[in-house]
Amino acid sequence: MDNTHFGFEQVDKKDKEHLVREVFSSVAENYDLMNNLMSMGIHHCWKDSMMELITDYSQNFLDVAGGTGDICKRYYDKANKYNKNPIINICDINYQMLDVGRDKLIDQNIINKINFTTGNAECLPFKDMSWGYYTIAFGIRNVTNIDQALKEAYRVLKPGGKFICLEFSQPTNKYLAKIYDAYSFNIIPFIGKIVANNQHAYQYLVESIRNFPKQQQFAAMIEQAGFKNVNYINLTGGITAIHYGYRI
Ligand SMILES: C[S@@+](CC[C@H](N)C(=O)[O-])C[C@H]1O[C@@H](n2cnc3c(N)ncnc32)[C@H](O)[C@@H]1O
């Protein structure tokens, strides 16, 4: 069996995509509420920080694993403010997560400004060199083959295009790490059980964070995929990090 991790479990690689899909199908309905509760709303600030790395709102913009629509909505608002009219696309493997984003964008009356695509980060349904930005927020740790997803990000970006990834990472301070561990393993699955009646899914989310490569290691993987000027910014003491790089 060719194994990979699914949370702290070892599973056959070919089963992981389906297991991850089940997790997100089961949390989709309560996703935004749970996200706000678990992060105490801080995920909005992390996403705002990610958007600060964007400077040119005329570029075509692809947000992968973007089911909630949060990242594309932010890009659209800025592009609109500067009278730019780029193509904006959310791509996610899970149509139930895409529905979460679609409902929000309908409520905000901008549904016709943003395209939706169902697709896997490992084999994106887009042409080579077609996007100015590729973003992925809290998505890449769920992908079975992260190196392959990074190669795909490189393939679809135009020369000069920018890759930006927001993901949970490694706290840089050992005391913060202890508090964060206690919170993650005790409180988050408990909130998942009480609010979403789904302890298992939130246990997976916490465990998947622990399996994700640390800041330096992930930066090396991004370089390995061909990106240049790769760097990262720690947020909230390294609980999350934004990694970025360019296709030259
Ligand atoms: C934690 S959610 C993040 C959603 C959104 N980016 C946000 O930050 O609000 C992770 C998303 O990754 C998607 N996902 C998981 N594996 C994927 C894959 N292989 N390709 C594309 N999307 C994937 C899930 O369906 C889910 O919508």
Side-chain angles (χ1 to χ4, degrees):
M1 186 164 85
D2 192 7
N3 275 355
T4 187
H5 50 75
F6 172 72
F8 289 164
E9 270 177 63
Q10 282 294 309
V11 296
D12 196 320
K13 265 189 181 163
K14 66 177 168 36
D15 294 333
K16 177 158 172 172
E17 185 184 315
H18 156 75
L19 290 167
V20 168
R21 199 190 301 259
E22 270 185 353
V23 166
F24 285 103
S25 295
S26 73
V27 300
E29 195 187 340
N30 294 302
Y31 186 85
D32 278 331
L33 171 66
M34 279 298 294
N35 226 6
N36 285 332
L37 285 174
M38 288 183 309
S39 74
M40 295 175 252
I42 298 173
H43 74 102
H44 294 294
C45 304
W46 291 332
K47 287 170 180 167
D48 288 344
S49 298
M50 180 183 194
M51 301 312 287
E52 282 171 17
L53 297 187
I54 289 168
T55 47
D56 181 357
Y57 293 93
S58 63
Q59 293 294 325
N60 292 344
F61 184 88
L62 175 64
D63 183 44
V64 175
T68 56
D70 287 2
I71 303 300
C72 277
K73 164 77 168 69
R74 282 169 167 78
Y75 190 76
Y76 169 76
D77 285 345
K78 278 284 175 70
N80 191 38
K81 183 174 161 196
Y82 295 118
N83 288 319
K84 307 288 182 193
N85 200 13
I87 297 170
I88 306 178
N89 200 312
I90 301 175
C91 176
D92 197 292
I93 201 166
N94 189 316
Y95 72 89
Q96 281 146 306
M97 286 298 291
L98 283 172
D99 279 350
V100 173
R102 200 181 337 242
D103 287 351
K104 279 198 285 191
L105 299 180
I106 288 172
D107 291 347
Q108 289 154 4
N109 207 20
I110 55 168
I111 187 65
N112 57 343
K113 310 288 183 190
I114 295 174
N115 303 317
F116 289 80
T117 308
T118 310
N120 188 338
E122 291 178 44
C123 48
L124 291 170
F126 303 109
K127 284 193 221 149
D128 295 358
M129 303 190 203
S130 44
W131 301 95
Y133 287 104
Y134 171 116
T135 56
I136 183 163
F138 304 117
I140 206 156
R141 74 174 189 281
N142 300 295
V143 169
T144 307
N145 186 339
I146 293 174
D147 289 321
Q148 176 58 27
L150 292 171
K151 274 190 200 157
E152 277 292 271
Y154 188 87
R155 179 185 68 77
V156 300
L157 273 171
K158 293 196 292 199
K162 190 168 187 178
F163 166 85
I164 313 174
C165 174
L166 170 62
E167 190 49 270
F168 288 102
S169 203
Q170 181 79 14
T172 49
N173 173 293
K174 68 177 178 184
Y175 300 108
L176 176 63
K178 281 200 172 138
I179 295 166
Y180 176 56
D181 263 358
Y183 176 74
S184 307
F185 285 105
N186 299 307
I187 311 287
I188 290 182
F190 178 72
I191 302 177
K193 187 175 170 188
I194 301 296
V195 178
N197 193 23
N198 195 341
Q199 182 168 353
H200 173 73
Y202 288 93
Q203 186 73 31
Y204 159 75
L205 292 180
V206 171
E207 292 176 1
S208 66
I209 292 168
R210 297 313 186 280
N211 284 324
F212 191 69
K214 295 183 181 139
Q215 285 88 331
Q216 294 281 5
Q217 198 186 344
F218 186 45
M221 290 166 74
I222 297 168
E223 278 172 350
Q224 189 64 34
F227 288 100
K228 302 289 182 224
N229 299 335
V230 173
N231 211 337
Y232 63 85
I233 300 163
N234 284 322
L235 304 176
T236 319
I239 287 177
T240 60
I242 303 170
H243 282 76
Y244 59 92
Y246 298 83
R247 176 175 179 154
I248 303 290

